[in-house]
Amino acid sequence: MVDSRNARKLVKKRKKKKKKIRMILLMLFFLFIGSISVFGYNIYLETKKASEKIYEALDPSNLWKKRDKKIEIRKDPVTILLVGVENQYHDEEGRSDVIMLLTVNPKTKKVYLLSIPRDTRVYIPSEGRKDKITHSYSYGGIESTIAAVNELIDVPIDYYITTDFEGFEEIVDSLGGITVNVPFTFKAQLTGSLKWHTFHKGKQKLNGNEALAYVRMRKSDPKGDFGRNERQKQVIKAIIEKSTSITSLTKLDDVIANLGDHVRTNIPPSDLLSFIYLYQKMDDARVETLHLKGYDDTINEVYYYIPDEQSVAEITKTLQQALEEKETTSFTQNDSDFVTSN
């Protein structure tokens, strides 16, 4: 009799203990979900504020190549012009120091990235003559640069994203720096302090100021502008990887907040998260780098990079085909990778 009572007491005690453990686990779970929700809500608010601040529509009356229909970023092939703008000088607009044309086809899983050397000689409509494409921005801002790129590559440009150098530095610093594999040892001058910094061959962690000097240097690069373009792509990839890593999640709201002060785009606020989602899906396995072939020349004692006509034609054809190709694969909102649709 006594044994049966003790047994019942022991069972009740165990049940009570299990119930207590379940309650503790449940509380921890809700605390975790709550903290994630608060963090997620903060990200949402920062994204909303930043997207409203950075949005600048293009003037539809300007004559560059446009689409006949509205583009859906997650479904349709898109072209995006990425422009790094030198800080403004006095009454000038500044210069388009970095120019990259990104073409993404979610349906075929093809991504093309074309870097246009800043000294490329093209016709600039707003200037009314041929000049270095880097000068296009100072003759009418991003719309002038888009028109100049269109004179070179005959594809519609759906969206643009510009950032200044200060914004670039702040974004890198907000992430706690980035790590790159320096291809060779060289020295470059830092902006602001004007001090010289040595970049040693091999892996090296860079802060924002150092990363900017790393992507801007070209005179000491044996490949010239092409080597500079490769380092720019390398840094962009490092920023994407760092910003999408688990360890950087707590810094994401700071990064997004910095975007609002230094980035401008015509991607509508309602589509900004779709673009971020699409951008995260790109990696080296899917990105094909296009090289604009040409030759160096001096005209009226001014150095230019003269694009090869055949290379221009081949790149244009590749991108036009990329925008027209249709297959049965696409990105979806809920899946973490590419999936096949029926």
Side-chain angles (χ1 to χ4, degrees):
M1 187 73 175
V2 176
D3 290 340
S4 62
R5 287 179 180 174
N6 289 337
R8 284 197 296 272
K9 287 181 180 180
L10 185 61
V11 170
K12 288 181 179 180
K13 190 174 182 181
R14 286 177 179 173
K15 286 183 177 179
K16 190 174 182 181
K17 187 176 181 181
K18 286 181 179 180
K19 186 177 181 181
K20 187 176 181 181
I21 291 173
R22 284 198 298 269
M23 288 296 295
I24 292 173
L25 290 174
L26 194 62
M27 288 175 64
L28 289 173
F29 173 76
F30 280 117
L31 283 172
F32 174 75
I33 293 299
S35 62
I36 292 295
S37 299
V38 170
F39 175 71
Y41 185 65
N42 286 338
I43 294 294
Y44 166 77
L45 287 180
E46 290 294 349
T47 302
K48 188 174 184 295
K49 287 191 292 184
S51 61
E52 290 173 351
K53 192 172 184 179
I54 69 179
Y55 179 72
E56 282 189 4
L58 294 171
D59 184 352
S61 65
N62 281 310
L63 300 177
W64 57 73
K65 196 174 181 69
K66 303 179 182 71
R67 300 288 191 113
D68 296 328
K69 65 173 186 175
K70 179 178 172 58
I71 298 299
E72 293 186 49
I73 292 179
R74 286 180 183 267
K75 299 178 181 179
D76 297 322
V78 295
T79 54
I80 304 156
L81 189 65
L82 309 174
V83 179
V85 181
E86 282 185 305
N87 295 349
Q88 296 181 355
Y89 297 102
H90 306 295
D91 58 343
E92 295 183 1
E93 285 271 9
R95 296 179 180 179
S96 43
D97 189 64
V98 178
I99 303 174
M100 294 182 176
L101 182 60
L102 183 69
T103 304
V104 184
N105 189 325
K107 297 179 180 179
T108 62
K109 302 187 290 186
K110 291 183 179 178
V111 180
Y112 295 95
L113 183 61
L114 170 67
S115 290
I116 302 175
R118 55 173 286 162
D119 292 325
T120 301
R121 191 169 187 261
V122 299
Y123 180 77
I124 301 177
S126 57
E127 191 177 349
R129 63 184 177 90
K130 286 191 173 183
D131 199 349
K132 295 183 179 184
I133 198 168
T134 187
H135 294 157
S136 62
Y137 195 87
S138 60
Y139 285 98
I142 187 59
E143 294 176 340
S144 175
T145 299
I146 290 174
V149 172
N150 259 168
E151 288 290 326
L152 181 67
I153 307 296
D154 187 21
V155 294
I157 295 176
D158 303 308
Y159 300 108
Y160 77 87
I161 301 175
T162 67
T163 182
D164 58 28
F165 291 160
E166 185 180 350
F168 175 84
E169 290 187 31
E170 288 189 9
I171 289 170
V172 173
D173 286 334
S174 296
L175 292 170
I178 57 173
T179 300
V180 298
N181 192 12
V182 181
F184 57 91
T185 299
F186 65 89
K187 287 185 177 181
Q189 197 170 28
L190 302 176
T191 57
S193 67
L194 300 182
K195 293 181 179 179
W196 288 88
H197 180 80
T198 301
F199 296 88
H200 297 280
K201 182 178 180 180
K203 286 191 175 181
Q204 189 171 344
K205 186 174 182 179
L206 309 177
N207 61 29
N209 196 219
E210 294 164 350
L212 179 60
Y214 181 74
V215 299
R216 295 196 70 194
M217 189 282 292
R218 60 175 177 152
K219 291 184 178 179
S220 299
D221 196 311
K223 295 182 180 179
D225 252 335
F226 287 105
R228 182 174 180 261
N229 291 342
E230 288 174 3
R231 281 180 277 112
Q232 290 169 357
K233 295 169 192 172
Q234 185 186 33
V235 167
I236 288 175
K237 181 174 180 285
I239 291 174
I240 294 171
E241 289 179 347
K242 190 71 179 287
S243 62
T244 56
S245 67
I246 297 296
T247 55
S248 297
L249 282 178
T250 55
K251 304 170 184 175
L252 196 56
D253 54 345
D254 291 331
V255 174
I256 293 172
N258 285 332
L259 292 180
D261 294 326
H262 304 283
V263 174
R264 293 295 177 266
T265 182
N266 67 327
I267 298 176
S270 58
D271 291 336
L272 190 60
L273 289 177
S274 293
F275 172 74
I276 294 172
Y277 171 87
L278 184 67
Y279 206 60
Q280 289 174 345
K281 294 298 169 189
M282 296 185 297
D283 55 35
D284 281 344
R286 300 186 183 103
V287 178
E288 182 176 338
T289 301
L290 302 178
H291 296 284
L292 179 62
K293 297 178 182 178
Y295 59 92
D296 301 331
D297 197 7
T298 300
I299 302 175
N300 296 327
E301 300 183 350
V302 178
Y303 165 75
Y304 293 97
Y305 181 75
I306 310 299
D308 177 77
E309 290 185 7
Q310 184 176 349
S311 178
V312 170
E314 290 173 353
I315 290 172
T316 298
K317 183 178 179 180
T318 297
L319 297 185
Q320 286 176 345
Q321 289 177 342
L323 294 175
E324 294 170 359
E325 288 179 341
K326 295 181 180 179
E327 291 184 6
T328 58
T329 53
S330 64
F331 292 120
T332 64
Q333 182 172 356
N334 297 321
D335 294 322
S336 59
D337 207 337
F338 291 101
V339 297
T340 302
S341 59
N342 296 324

